[in-house]
Amino acid sequence: MIYFTVGPTQLNPIVPKAIEQAITDNVLSMSHRSPAFDSLFQETIGNLRSLVHIPSTHAIFFLSSATEAMERIVQNTVASHSYHFVNGSFAERFYKIAQELGKKPTKVEVAYGESFDWKKSTIPKNTELICFTHNETSTGVMLPVEEIYHVAKKNPQALIAVDTVSSMPYVDIDFTKVDCVFFSVQKGFGLPAGLAVIILSPRAMEKAAALDKRGISTGSYHSFRELKKYADKAETPETPNVLDIYLLNTVLKQMLKEGIDTIRKRIETHAAFFETFFHEHPDYQYLSSNPADHSKTIHVVKVPGGSQACRKHLKAYNMVVSSGYKDMKEDYIRIACFPAHTSADIRVLIKLL
Ligand SMILES: *Cc1c(COP(=O)(O)O)cnc(C)c1O
């Protein structure tokens, strides 16, 4: 089976061998308080820093999921007011988490499949955190990073959070212009689920410390304070998903060898295969009507005979795609275009479609 699903997705082809190697190297029994773990931790963070150019001023921590990252960000950077750009289910989840934590979030919301009218946004001056979903996996809309930077510049009092779960490592983020960036590994990195990474600016760390000082809870073992205390020793507060960290390191080394520019160009070439095919085909239609908003990594299209028949047809040829999200389940399919997907497999998939 080849999984073009949006996450979990096709495993990076080096993963099965890396799992065998992990067993040989006793990674599965490794103590997370051992020197061997410390070097794995340091190497993995170092490789991620090099691959996507994260400045040495920024902290990098491991969490268990991207959903957890949303909760930690709200807990550690917001006393009361967050603001959310909502154009799909994952952005909505971020907003709801802020509500559930007893904060007072506000949002600007657009219809699924649309992007934002950037000239119109008015963000209250008391906003502490502004949240973006760079690539909305439910709708296949990707936001221009320049617009995110522009909002950041216009609201210097606020911290900026960017969900890059289904766009990392394709997205080229300038980490000096935003404060909290996160992703989980089961999408663009082609790894088993159960590990997420959060990247924090010095300002985000300072805000968490300020909340601590005011006696506002920033959480317990995964507060930014505790994460930093342990990361300074190249450790995690809890027993982490050591296998996934090991596998992430292996994939990062491979990506460094290929080079990030080559990977990004490859994704663009592959995305163009899909875009050209769907645009030229009379029966398929992107959910997002504006081609400028189309995600490179998640393609959401309406299929003529319904998604179930289409997915069944593909499955007969060992190809798996995702159905549309929630209400769009019957009519739409979602196809991932991640680094682990090969041109050869994409050609076969397109032919079948
Ligand atoms: C998948 C996804 C999430 C949730 O990731 P988990 O690791 O399952 O918590 C959040 N945001 C986006 C954009 C996603 O695609």
Side-chain angles (χ1 to χ4, degrees):
M1 287 285 180
I2 307 290
Y3 285 85
F4 279 95
T5 43
V6 297
T9 187
Q10 185 64 16
L11 272 185
N12 183 304
I14 65 173
V15 167
K17 264 230 155 63
I19 292 177
E20 275 178 41
Q21 192 60 43
I23 293 168
T24 311
D25 293 349
N26 295 313
V27 169
L28 304 187
S29 307
M30 178 192 279
S31 160
H32 60 296
R33 302 285 176 240
S34 67
F37 179 79
D38 294 359
S39 5
L40 172 63
F41 182 103
Q42 258 158 353
E43 206 183 305
T44 311
I45 300 278
N47 284 334
L48 181 65
R49 253 187 228 289
S50 317
L51 185 73
V52 294
H53 309 122
I54 302 168
S56 59
T57 45
H58 286 49
I60 305 177
F61 302 133
F62 294 115
L63 300 174
S64 62
S65 72
T67 311
E68 187 197 350
M70 295 177 189
E71 177 165 297
R72 299 309 173 213
I73 290 168
V74 171
Q75 271 181 321
N76 282 270
T77 66
V78 180
S80 311
H81 301 284
S82 57
Y83 187 92
H84 301 253
F85 281 80
V86 177
N87 64 335
S89 301
F90 290 103
E92 180 70 21
R93 187 78 198 95
F94 210 159
Y95 169 79
K96 284 233 172 79
I97 284 174
Q99 272 186 330
E100 284 160 3
L101 288 173
K103 313 294 178 185
K104 296 186 190 73
T106 44
K107 62 178 169 179
V108 54
E109 197 163 15
V110 295
Y112 280 23
E114 284 182 18
S115 188
F116 301 95
D117 183 348
W118 298 102
K119 287 185 204 79
K120 252 176 46 191
S121 84
T122 43
I123 297 168
K125 281 296 160 226
N126 60 1
T127 301
E128 298 161 82
L129 174 76
I130 304 172
C131 303
F132 296 94
T133 304
H134 173 251
N135 191 56
E136 195 26 277
T137 313
S138 61
T139 65
V141 169
M142 191 174 261
L143 307 181
V145 285
E146 293 305 329
E147 297 293 354
I148 296 177
Y149 302 154
H150 191 65
V151 172
K153 210 170 162 191
K154 276 191 4 204
N155 297 272
Q157 86 293 350
L159 296 170
I160 307 294
V162 190
D163 172 339
T164 62
V165 176
S166 58
S167 50
M168 194 64 90
Y170 166 72
V171 59
D172 187 0
I173 292 263
D174 181 344
F175 289 92
T176 62
K177 294 186 169 143
V178 295
D179 301 285
C180 312
V181 177
F182 61 95
F183 63 89
S184 40
V185 300
Q186 75 275 17
K187 300 191 180 174
F189 290 87
L191 288 168
L195 179 69
V197 175
I198 187 168
I199 300 142
L200 300 169
S201 72
R203 275 179 79 209
M205 295 304 295
E206 283 157 21
K207 181 67 192 277
L211 293 182
D212 281 336
K213 221 169 165 186
R214 285 166 64 187
I216 296 168
S217 172
T218 54
S220 59
Y221 75 109
H222 270 181
S223 65
F224 292 177
R225 175 194 67 249
E226 286 298 299
L227 286 163
K228 178 174 175 1
K229 189 171 110 191
Y230 283 90
D232 284 347
K233 306 184 277 185
E235 287 180 11
T236 52
E238 82 294 17
T239 318
N241 189 338
V242 182
L243 175 61
D244 232 354
I245 296 174
Y246 176 90
L247 297 175
L248 175 61
N249 191 36
T250 310
V251 167
L252 286 170
K253 281 193 270 192
Q254 179 210 37
M255 287 181 165
L256 280 166
K257 218 181 259 171
E258 184 180 354
I260 193 66
D261 295 338
T262 312
I263 294 170
R264 287 172 176 160
K265 280 203 194 91
R266 192 156 60 79
I267 296 296
E268 277 169 8
T269 307
H270 289 171
F273 291 166
F274 285 116
E275 294 233 19
T276 308
F277 172 74
F278 289 131
H279 281 148
E280 286 174 357
H281 200 291
D283 297 334
Y284 290 100
Q285 210 184 343
Y286 272 95
L287 170 64
S288 152
S289 54
N290 182 1
D293 298 334
H294 289 179
S295 165
K296 302 287 179 205
T297 54
I298 303 285
H299 299 261
V300 181
V301 289
K302 194 169 187 168
V303 285
S307 82
Q308 215 179 350
C310 174
R311 294 177 69 225
K312 203 172 152 196
H313 162 69
L314 296 174
K315 206 159 193 181
Y317 295 91
N318 295 323
M319 292 274 176
V320 191
V321 301
S322 295
S323 59
Y325 203 81
K326 288 199 179 143
D327 294 349
M328 296 172 282
K329 196 179 168 82
E330 303 295 326
D331 297 328
Y332 287 84
I333 55 168
R334 290 178 300 157
I335 302 172
C337 179
F338 292 144
H341 295 117
T342 67
S343 330
D345 288 336
I346 291 171
R347 283 206 186 83
V348 173
L349 175 65
I350 288 178
K351 213 169 207 165
L352 291 167
L353 285 167

